[in-house]
Amino acid sequence: MSDNIQRVTVLSKTTWTPNLFSFTVSRPDSFKFTAGQFVRLGVNPSQLKYYKQQSDAANDTSDEELEEALNEEIFRAYSIVSSPFDEVLEFFSIVIPDGAFTSQLQHLQVGDELLLNTMPFGFLTLARYQKPLPKDLWLLATGTGLAPFLSMLQDLKTWEDYEHIVLAYSARSTEELAYVEKIKSLQEDFGDLVDNPAQLIFIPIVTREAVEGALTERLPKLLLDGTLQARAGIALDIDSTHVMLCGNPEMVEDTKETLKTLGLIMNRRGEGNIAVENYW
């Protein structure tokens, strides 16, 4: 096993919907990361309690077949939900029915072991912004793309550096809009710990059902017709706006192009408005 790979233990699991869940794992003492980064997590399905229980209930032949089929280490990239200062690591996952990784990971139970590559990756971090200087931060997410933004919003520096933070979070249905109660408590739990904190503006978006208080269109349309800016009460300004995108690739691409038509530019070498995460 590589020196960068460490075993971590599952401490809790939260099921949001049949296809969405979160889980926490133990954090190695030496592991450090920056809010917004991702890591590679590994699982060996044959070592999960679920499959050991299945194996115990099977006859010898099917047991051997089960071990042979599932006894391998599978790694995938996951953004970290938790703060860089938390004692545990939290992750937010979707179940892809035919996915080699998530179709196994959905069977996680407390006490299971996973593999953590302790080398963090990714540049979806606030440190990338050198110009324009921080004023208004827009965090635009779909689905599990919310994860890196929750990490940023649990870092006090985010609240110190900005005047306004707009979190627009889009899901297909109300039940898929995870972490809402946590989001609603962020201002009090973190913003109130600093002098002159940013104002958090949370804009939920539900695209496949009408929900009171939530917008219903896709992010590109909401930006193009100005609905999102009107709801936030803030304009997009090339001289004061930072925008981060994370979620399904189609949303990221379409929203990025929409922002460019509105006059914002990609962040390169520290300068520019738009930053995206492309690890999907």
Side-chain angles (χ1 to χ4, degrees), residues 103-116:
S103 62
Q104 309 297 342
L105 207 65
Q106 67 178 315
H107 300 305
L108 276 185
Q109 298 178 26
V110 171
D112 277 329
E113 283 193 339
L114 296 177
L115 301 171
L116 170 69

Side-chain angles (χ1 to χ4, degrees), residues 109-275:
Q109 298 178 26
V110 171
D112 277 329
E113 283 193 339
L114 296 177
L115 301 171
L116 170 69
N117 184 325
T118 56
M119 178 71 70
F121 299 91
F123 299 98
L124 193 73
T125 64
L126 295 177
R128 72 181 293 155
Y129 285 109
Q130 306 303 316
K131 186 179 178 181
L133 295 175
K135 183 184 176 187
D136 300 328
L137 175 64
W138 293 70
L139 305 173
L140 310 182
T142 57
T144 57
L146 177 70
F149 300 150
L150 287 177
S151 183
M152 293 175 193
L153 291 170
Q154 295 175 88
D155 188 334
L156 296 183
K157 193 171 188 328
T158 307
W159 297 89
E160 292 173 336
D161 286 354
Y162 289 90
E163 294 181 20
H164 304 96
I165 302 170
V166 180
L167 174 61
Y169 174 29
S170 179
R172 295 176 300 181
S173 64
T174 310
E175 65 174 2
E176 290 186 357
L177 211 59
Y179 286 102
V180 169
E181 292 308 310
K182 184 179 187 72
I183 292 168
K184 289 178 178 178
S185 71
L186 287 169
Q187 183 86 49
E188 181 178 351
D189 291 347
F190 293 91
D192 287 359
L193 298 179
V194 304
D195 295 330
N196 302 313
Q199 176 193 3
L200 176 63
I201 302 156
F202 173 47
I203 304 176
I205 303 166
V206 180
T207 58
R208 295 192 182 179
E209 61 185 57
V211 178
E212 185 177 356
L215 301 178
T216 58
E217 301 288 349
R218 294 179 66 244
L219 278 163
K221 184 177 188 303
L222 292 171
L223 286 163
L224 204 56
D225 66 15
T227 300
L228 197 66
Q229 299 90 309
R231 174 66 69 91
I234 301 170
L236 294 170
D237 186 336
I238 191 171
D239 294 321
S240 62
T241 297
H242 297 171
V243 187
M244 290 186 152
L245 310 176
C246 192
N248 73 71
E250 182 181 1
M251 179 283 286
V252 169
E253 182 62 25
D254 291 350
T255 306
K256 178 182 71 175
E257 293 305 315
T258 299
L259 290 166
K260 287 160 69 175
T261 67
L262 294 174
L264 302 187
I265 61 175
M266 296 299 296
N267 183 282
R268 304 190 193 284
R269 297 185 178 87
E271 297 191 9
N273 311 99
I274 309 164

